[in-house]
């Protein structure tokens, strides 16, 4: 056998061995679907890498649980002392609808509530006319054992929204929290909720990180979430579990809406976020909810409850309509969505801004300008660049090209700033000359986001000449400064928790493809060529936009490809220290990332938490 043939066999064996290990970590049908989907979408090599990454995630998670998410007696005593010191601790009402719940899992779920360190809770259970014989006696017995457990039995089955509303009507707590009848709370869940509410008394909505637990009690499938991220919420139910809501606000909104079963909690979160401000929404970066992996549960995939997909789409669509936003919601994958925002009428004028730093850049501009215009999906008003490039090969359909003389001593950022000062379009799109478009509509997608009232800068996926994702957005603090937001390993991967293929808010996007409204660009002072003459001017601009109340958007639906390797800077520059000086707090904690995910890797691998664990504050201080 040839060396190449032997290598292929070894790769094939490793591939199936990895798939088998994945199957052992969860349910076999999930592993089969996972492998087949990625093989068909991404090919063998990318699927092999994705499998390796998933296994690495799982391998890192188990020791993380032991070291950072397992409380000993001293930890428990410290938390109890903190809880004892609370002034006017809030009553939290947990809402639990039940229907033919498996006896073992129902009892385990209720037991996890009874074992809470925080004592000020009530469990409001509404049974939705279960036909299983064990349900009523079990609930009656447990409610007699603990007066904080209140039970209501419906006479007729009304589905989960009706049952949840009955539980809500029983609640008297200042806050309500949602728990399914077969899931589990760790004993410190409500303690962390109460401590957070004490620190942020104006909070209307609190949500936490989560993971999954199988029938043997083994944990997997962690989702360490970002801080408040409105664009991501429109694409996936990032609140989900453990969602805690101010009771009076939920009641004022009419509670859970019938007809949205399967996505009733997502619908509620969308309506609550409309009725409050972002500053009153808090993310608790701790895993305090364990989804039970059982057949038929959405924890194994939303396809288990296909009606939830339609309910989720309608919930997001009506959310946009209530806000007066002209957009269409389409199903992307596995209960996650894409929002297609409409352009205003008349559409804005668009300037493509192409700064040339090397002679090769000028050649690339000549090669790619026609490609950009043919695939843009909307008219381009002008191309603005520097240097003597005004010929018929570099022009819009109207022949509109603006060429400036940047001067011999100009820095890369200074050239971009000068180009922007000469542009006259409503939307400025900074673009690397090395990029080419292989799909139509990329510019329309970028501009549709840039024209939204709340948007600052817009970026997208940038794919290397080898077909792999190389960036487009930034995770601040990665590798000490800012690293590429990859989302997944390859260009077609769904990424961590599906985020690699979903519209979302990032703190910063790459200047190689950055769209922003001209008035907003100038309102924050444009690129800072003094402190960031060579690099990081894009990050600095995006943070200033965000600090001025605008959300930076990253969309995966406008992918651009580098025709050759992008220009990179390996050595340190003074700009690096300026980034640390100007934006130290953002490099310490990027709101679009999670403090439980490491900053040493280009992929989201669990690592030592970068925030203080409340049960170890005395030790760490």
């Amino acid at each position: 056998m040839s060396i190449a043939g032997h290598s292929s066999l070894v790769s094939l064996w490793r591939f199936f061995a990895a798939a088998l290990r994945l199957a052992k970590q969860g349910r076999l049908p999930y592993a089969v679907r996972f492998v087949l989907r990625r093989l068909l979408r991404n090919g063998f090599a990318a699927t092999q890498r994705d499998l390796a990454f998933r296994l690495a995630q799982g391998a890192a998670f188990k020791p993380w649980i032991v070291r950072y998410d397992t409380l000993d007696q001293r930890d428990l005593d410290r938390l109890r002392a903190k809880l004892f010191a609370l002034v006017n601790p809030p009553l939290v009402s947990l809402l639990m609808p039940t229907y033919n719940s498996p006896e073992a899992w129902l009892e385990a779920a209720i037991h996890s509530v009874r074992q809470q360190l925080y004592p000020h809770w009530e469990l409001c259970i509404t049974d939705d006319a279960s036909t299983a014989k064990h349900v009523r006696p079990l609930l009656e017995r447990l409610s007699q054992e603990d007066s904080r457990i209140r039970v209501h039995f419906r006479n007729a089955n009304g589905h989960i929204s009706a049952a949840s509303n009955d539980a809500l009507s029983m609640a008297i707590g200042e806050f309500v929290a949602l728990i399914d009848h077969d899931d589990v709370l760790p004993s410190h869940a409500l303690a962390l909720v109460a401590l957070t509410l004490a620190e942020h008394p104006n909070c209307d909505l609190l949500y936490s990180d989560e993971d999954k637990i199988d029938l043997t009690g083994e944990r997997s499938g962690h989702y360490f979430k970002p801080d408040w991220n409105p664009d991501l919420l429109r694409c996936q139910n990032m609140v989900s579990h453990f969602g805690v809501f101010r009771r009076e606000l939920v009641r004022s909104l009419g509670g859970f809406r019938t007809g949205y079963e399967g996505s009733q909690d997502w619908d509620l979160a969308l309506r609550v976020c409309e009725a409050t401000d972002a500053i009153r929404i808090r993310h608790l970066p701790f895993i305090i909810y364990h989804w039970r992996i059982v057949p038929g549960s959405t924890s194994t995939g939303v396809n288990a409850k296909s009606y939830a997909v339609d309910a989720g789409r309608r919930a997001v669509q009506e959310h946009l309509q209530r806000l007066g936003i002209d957009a269409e919601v389409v199903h992307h994958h596995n209960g996650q969505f894409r929002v297609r925002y409409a352009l205003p009428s008349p559409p804005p004028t668009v300037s493509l801004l192409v700064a040339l730093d090397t002679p090769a850049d000028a050649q690339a501009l000549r090669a790619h300008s026609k490609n950009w215009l043919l695939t843009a999906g909307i008219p381009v008003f002008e191309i603005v660049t520097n240097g003597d490039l005004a010929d018929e090969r570099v022009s819009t359909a109207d022949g509109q090209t603006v060429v400036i003389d940047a001067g011999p001593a100009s820095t890369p950022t200074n050239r971009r700033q000068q180009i922007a000062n000469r542009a006259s379009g409503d939307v400025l799109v900074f673009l690397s000359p090395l990029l080419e478009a292989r799909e139509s509509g990329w510019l329309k997608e970028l501009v549709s986001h840039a024209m939204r009232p709340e948007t600052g800068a817009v970026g997208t996926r940038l794919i290397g000449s080898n077909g792999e994702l190389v960036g487009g957005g930034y995770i601040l603090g990665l590798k000490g400064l800012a690293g590429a937001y990859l989302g997944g390993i390859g260009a077609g991967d769904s990424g961590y928790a599906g985020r690699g293929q979903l519209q979302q808010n990032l703190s910063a996007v790459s200047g190689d493809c950055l769209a922003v409204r001209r008035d907003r660009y100038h309102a924050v002072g444009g690129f800072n060529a003094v402190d960031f003459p060579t690099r990081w001017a894009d990050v600095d601009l995006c943070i200033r936009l965000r600090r001025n109340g605008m959300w930076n958007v990253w969309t995966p639906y406008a992918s651009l490809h580098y025709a050759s390797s992008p220009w990179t800077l390996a050595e340190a520059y003074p700009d690096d220290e300026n980034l640390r000086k100007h934006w130290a707090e953002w490099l310490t904690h990027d709101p679009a990332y999670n403090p439980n995910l490491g900053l040493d890797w280009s992929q989201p691998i669990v690592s030592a938490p970068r925030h203080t664990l409340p049960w170890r504050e005395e030790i760490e201080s």
Side-chain angles (χ1 to χ4, degrees):
M1 179 182 294
S2 67
I3 295 177
H6 180 266
S7 177
S8 297
L9 284 176
V10 170
S11 296
L12 191 63
W13 165 249
R14 289 177 177 171
F15 174 81
F16 283 111
L20 181 60
R21 290 198 300 274
L22 181 67
K24 289 180 179 179
Q25 287 186 4
R27 297 175 65 243
L28 180 61
Y30 164 78
V32 171
R33 290 195 302 270
F34 174 86
V35 171
L36 289 179
R37 281 198 305 265
R38 277 157 178 75
L39 277 174
L40 291 173
R41 183 184 303 171
N42 305 333
F44 176 78
T47 302
Q48 187 179 29
R49 289 194 301 270
D50 204 356
L51 276 172
F53 173 57
R54 294 298 177 102
L55 291 167
Q57 279 186 325
F61 189 40
K62 292 180 181 179
W64 183 91
I65 292 172
V66 173
R67 186 168 183 179
Y68 303 112
D69 202 36
T70 301
L71 281 62
D72 61 23
Q73 190 58 50
R74 289 186 303 170
D75 300 328
L76 299 176
D77 290 343
R78 290 190 189 97
L79 275 180
R80 288 192 178 98
K82 287 179 174 292
L83 295 175
F84 182 77
L86 290 178
V87 178
N88 297 323
L91 177 66
V92 179
S93 300
L94 295 104
L95 311 183
M96 178 187 289
T98 62
Y99 177 71
N100 286 344
S101 311
E103 184 172 7
W105 311 133
L106 176 58
E107 190 161 11
I110 296 174
H111 178 73
S112 75
V113 176
R114 298 181 69 182
Q115 295 300 306
Q116 291 300 302
L117 300 175
Y118 184 70
H120 307 291
W121 57 264
E122 62 172 358
L123 178 57
C124 302
I125 303 175
T126 296
D127 181 67
D128 198 19
S130 290
T131 57
K133 302 293 185 182
H134 65 271
V135 174
R136 188 178 190 113
L138 174 62
L139 294 180
E140 289 177 337
R141 173 175 63 83
L142 294 176
S143 64
Q144 291 170 2
E145 292 176 1
D146 194 324
S147 60
R148 294 173 296 180
I149 300 175
R150 305 167 62 196
V151 182
H152 169 67
F153 296 96
R154 289 178 55 86
N155 294 323
N157 182 266
H159 216 312
I160 191 169
S161 292
S164 297
N165 279 330
D166 284 353
L168 175 63
S169 67
M170 298 164 59
I172 60 174
E174 187 179 354
F175 292 89
V176 295
L178 315 183
I179 177 172
D180 288 345
H181 60 169
D182 50 6
D183 295 339
V184 176
L185 300 179
S187 63
H188 57 284
L190 293 184
L192 295 185
V193 168
L195 292 173
T196 302
L197 293 176
E199 186 177 357
H200 304 281
N202 292 327
C203 180
D204 285 331
L205 167 58
L206 183 151
Y207 65 98
S208 76
D209 299 338
E210 60 190 60
D211 67 6
K212 298 179 175 65
I213 187 169
D214 67 14
L215 302 184
T216 68
E218 184 171 350
R219 291 167 56 185
S220 63
H222 54 78
Y223 186 7
F224 291 106
K225 304 173 185 178
D227 289 345
W228 183 237
N229 200 306
D231 275 88
L232 184 60
L233 181 64
R234 293 173 182 175
C235 297
Q236 70 171 202
N237 184 6
M238 59 168 280
V239 171
S240 190
H241 295 301
F242 188 42
V244 181
F245 304 82
R246 189 175 294 275
R247 177 176 60 92
E248 284 308 311
L249 180 56
V250 173
R251 284 187 171 175
S252 70
L253 297 172
F256 301 89
R257 294 200 295 172
T258 58
Y260 294 83
E261 286 77 9
S263 291
Q264 74 287 337
D265 53 347
W266 192 356
D267 175 64
L268 176 63
L270 289 165
R271 288 183 288 124
V272 166
C273 78
E274 296 166 25
T276 190
D277 299 319
I279 198 172
R280 298 169 73 97
I281 300 172
R282 307 298 305 182
H283 167 223
L284 186 55
F286 299 92
I287 292 178
I288 58 172
Y289 196 95
H290 309 308
W291 287 56
R292 180 79 67 180
I293 304 175
V294 295
S297 169
T298 50
S299 65
T300 62
V302 77
N303 291 331
K305 296 181 178 179
S306 58
Y307 60 84
V309 174
D310 179 64
R313 185 196 62 76
R314 287 187 289 110
V316 177
Q317 186 72 66
E318 293 181 12
H319 157 73
L320 296 168
Q321 291 172 352
R322 288 191 297 270
L323 294 176
I325 298 173
D326 186 4
E328 178 189 13
V329 180
V330 294
H331 185 222
H332 168 69
H333 173 69
N334 200 31
Q336 301 179 114
F337 300 93
R338 172 187 181 182
V339 181
R340 288 196 175 105
Y341 293 90
L343 287 170
S345 181
T349 56
V350 180
S351 299
L352 297 186
L353 312 183
V354 188
L356 307 177
D357 299 312
T358 67
D361 289 345
Q363 296 176 0
L365 173 59
R366 293 189 182 98
H368 296 148
S369 58
K370 185 176 180 180
N371 161 262
W372 297 338
L373 300 175
L374 289 175
T375 58
I378 56 174
V380 173
F381 175 68
E382 63 183 359
I383 298 175
V384 187
T385 185
N386 58 288
D388 187 15
L389 294 169
D391 60 45
E392 69 282 358
R393 292 171 293 177
V394 184
S395 63
T396 67
D398 298 326
Q400 179 72 17
T401 304
V402 178
V403 182
I404 69 166
D405 181 6
S410 179
T411 65
T413 303
N414 183 259
R415 286 191 283 274
R416 286 153 181 77
Q417 180 73 297
Q418 291 184 54
I419 288 172
N421 290 339
R422 288 289 300 274
S424 56
D426 299 318
V427 178
L428 310 180
V429 181
F430 296 90
L431 202 59
S432 165
L434 302 180
L435 291 169
E436 62 180 359
R438 298 180 184 176
E439 299 175 0
S440 62
W442 63 273
L443 186 59
K444 181 179 180 180
E445 172 73 6
L446 292 171
V447 173
S448 69
H449 287 283
M451 292 303 295
R452 293 164 51 194
E454 70 276 19
T455 300
V458 185
T460 188
R461 298 194 311 168
L462 303 180
I463 301 171
S465 55
N466 61 357
E468 293 195 358
L469 198 62
V470 296
Y474 290 109
I475 295 300
L476 304 183
L478 200 66
K479 303 297 180 67
L481 289 165
Y485 172 76
L486 299 182
I489 295 175
D493 296 338
S494 60
Y496 182 68
R499 285 183 62 183
Q501 293 188 349
L502 298 177
Q503 296 154 334
Q504 60 197 275
N505 303 114
L506 293 182
S507 297
V509 297
S510 171
D512 275 6
C513 179
L514 185 154
V516 59
R517 280 176 50 168
R518 180 164 54 92
D519 56 351
R520 293 178 180 175
Y521 172 84
H522 290 296
V524 299
F527 285 131
N528 180 352
V530 175
D531 295 315
F532 304 99
T534 306
R535 66 196 308 191
W536 307 129
D538 48 3
V539 173
D540 172 73
L541 172 70
C542 288
I543 296 178
R544 283 185 282 119
L545 287 165
R546 182 68 195 96
R547 289 193 66 176
N548 277 268
M550 289 167 273
W551 293 93
N552 300 313
V553 176
W554 184 84
T555 172
Y557 301 111
S559 300
L560 293 171
H561 297 250
Y562 288 103
S564 58
S565 298
W567 178 57
T568 59
L569 291 167
E571 65 270 29
Y573 273 71
D575 308 47
D576 298 351
E577 187 56 37
N578 285 337
L579 187 65
R580 295 188 185 98
K581 181 175 68 175
H582 282 271
W583 306 116
E585 71 276 20
W586 290 77
L587 300 182
T588 302
H589 174 62
D590 184 344
Y593 208 47
N594 187 290
N596 295 289
L597 299 176
L599 295 175
D600 297 327
W601 304 85
S602 59
Q603 296 293 331
I605 300 292
V606 293
S607 184
R610 297 187 304 282
H611 60 303
T612 302
L613 306 177
W615 51 89
R616 297 182 184 174
E617 286 181 347
E618 291 81 358
I619 296 175
E620 297 175 1
S621 60

